[in-house]
Amino acid sequence: MTDALTTLTLGSDLTVNRLGYGAMHLTGYGMWGPPEDPAQAVRVLRRAVELGVNFIDTADSYGPNYNEQIIRQALHPYPDDLVIATKGGMLRTGPGDWVREEGRAPYIVALGRPEYLRQQVELSLYKLGLERIDLYQLHRIDPLVPLADQLGELVLLQQEGKIRHLGLSGQPEVTVEQLTEARKYAEIVAVENLYNIADRSGEAAVRYAEEHGIAFIPWFPLGHGDLLGQSGALAQAAKKFQATPAQLALAWLLRHSPNTLLIPGTTSIDHLEENLAADELILDAEQWSEIEELCSRETPWRPTVHTSGLSEGESQ
């Protein structure tokens, strides 16, 4: 692929490779506590950078905090071109918060009070060993706090030189209406939403981002693993096209919009290397249509959140 297809510019000044790395799983069970094998986590991060990854996605709630610390341990002092994106504004209670269980929605609760967001930015700067965070994303819009206040505090931190660029993350998605409102208060250069070849309910946000020069960062790009199992649609297609299921999922996202910035995560160096070869996969339009049709029959899991800010199963 050409550089135009493999790189993307955040704002007007940060050019990154569109195949990045999502560090969330470099933590303990349930994204809680330190990684079970810290040495392996360090190896994976260093190998990613060796292979050309210069965009790493993390958050203060991964660990919590341990994820940011392991990135610093592995990569500090950072390469000049490395962009570390982190997020704040999401509460945690323990390792069971986000574990997928039958009949139970994950605990997804936002806290967007300005003083809390300021505290979390300062903590992320400290944990990562940075003077400025290149991309800081509001992890979830807090429905109980005016968006102008949430973004207003982050803009103040931006003006103080502690944040370079701002983005939004959705649980499961930031809507076009929310993006439009957010852009009244801040320059938004990235939006991170649940999106993959089988779950395209957020298509409007993809196209809005493309139209306005905003990077679109799909989380669950592999459908939370549902598309990769032996009976999954991508597993079936992969045999025919001599690729891994993950490569098909990632290559489709790269092709689908020039503004997608991918953050597949793994704790395996072998899988990391396979994922980063996805931009070498070239299929024609008819072949992609066949894969899309197969995946349209799948219904990957997605977390569901009440608009009140409490996930299903939680109460005030």
Side-chain angles (χ1 to χ4, degrees):
M1 290 188 176
T2 65
D3 287 346
L5 292 175
T6 58
T7 64
L8 180 148
T9 300
L10 297 167
S12 60
D13 57 347
L14 285 180
T15 298
V16 296
N17 295 324
R18 290 175 62 202
L19 274 170
Y21 178 74
M24 180 176 73
H25 291 285
L26 300 183
T27 54
Y29 173 78
M31 275 61 76
W32 190 267
E36 294 181 7
D37 188 345
Q40 174 66 3
V42 168
R43 286 191 290 269
V44 168
L45 286 163
R46 290 177 177 171
R47 182 58 177 153
V49 171
E50 287 174 0
L51 292 171
V53 168
N54 59 3
F55 182 86
I56 294 177
D57 178 86
T58 183
D60 62 18
S61 56
Y62 302 162
N65 299 315
Y66 281 105
N67 207 240
E68 293 176 327
Q69 292 182 67
I70 200 73
I71 291 170
R72 178 177 182 172
Q73 179 186 340
L75 301 174
H76 194 277
Y78 301 113
D80 291 340
D81 67 340
L82 181 63
V83 173
I84 298 175
T86 193
K87 301 180 282 291
M90 179 82 74
L91 298 180
R92 295 297 307 272
T93 67
D97 287 348
W98 300 340
V99 174
R100 179 177 172 183
E101 293 179 355
E102 187 70 28
R104 178 185 183 277
Y107 178 87
I108 299 174
V109 178
L111 180 54
R113 290 182 56 171
E115 57 270 38
Y116 177 74
L117 293 176
R118 176 170 288 271
Q119 169 189 280
Q120 296 310 105
V121 169
E122 294 288 358
L123 286 172
S124 287
L125 286 166
Y126 174 73
K127 300 290 184 183
L128 287 166
L130 291 170
E131 295 183 359
R132 180 177 64 178
I133 296 167
D134 280 332
L135 175 60
Y136 192 85
Q137 299 186 85
L138 182 62
H139 206 161
R140 181 171 184 255
I141 295 172
D142 188 341
L144 304 180
V145 178
L147 183 56
D149 293 348
Q150 297 174 67
L151 288 176
E153 190 65 28
L154 296 179
V155 168
L156 286 176
L157 287 156
Q158 191 176 34
Q159 293 169 349
E160 293 167 17
K162 297 176 179 180
I163 294 172
R164 189 169 188 169
H165 291 300
L166 290 171
L168 295 174
S169 178
Q171 307 293 322
E173 62 188 351
V174 179
T175 66
V176 168
E177 291 74 22
Q178 289 171 323
L179 266 172
T180 302
E181 182 186 1
R183 295 177 68 231
K184 297 176 183 177
Y185 313 121
E187 181 184 0
I188 303 298
V189 306
V191 58
E192 187 169 330
N193 280 357
L194 188 157
Y195 188 83
N196 55 66
I197 188 173
D199 188 342
R200 299 161 65 179
S201 56
E203 186 69 28
V206 176
R207 297 309 164 193
Y208 181 94
E210 186 177 323
E211 179 183 352
H212 292 89
I214 298 170
F216 185 88
I217 307 172
W219 58 272
F220 277 8
L222 310 180
H224 199 261
D226 290 344
L227 302 175
L228 308 185
Q230 292 185 355
S231 60
L234 287 178
Q236 298 175 46
K239 297 173 185 177
K240 179 174 181 179
F241 298 113
Q242 297 182 330
T244 70
Q247 285 172 341
L248 288 177
L250 298 172
W252 181 87
L253 287 165
L254 288 173
R255 178 182 182 274
H256 189 62
S257 168
N259 281 54
T260 52
L261 174 54
L262 310 190
I263 51 168
T266 180
T267 60
S268 162
I269 288 178
D270 287 344
H271 290 164
L272 170 72
E273 293 174 348
E274 290 174 355
N275 290 346
L276 295 179
D279 62 357
E280 301 171 9
L281 181 64
I282 299 175
L283 303 178
D284 62 33
E286 184 177 342
Q287 290 169 324
W288 281 121
S289 294
E290 179 183 342
I291 294 167
E292 288 174 352
E293 198 282 326
L294 281 171
C295 290
S296 69
R297 307 171 194 171
E298 301 277 348
T299 306
W301 177 78
R302 62 160 39 211
T304 306
V305 185
H306 287 305
T307 56
S308 67
L310 296 179
S311 62
E312 291 181 351
E314 299 293 328
S315 58
Q316 293 278 7

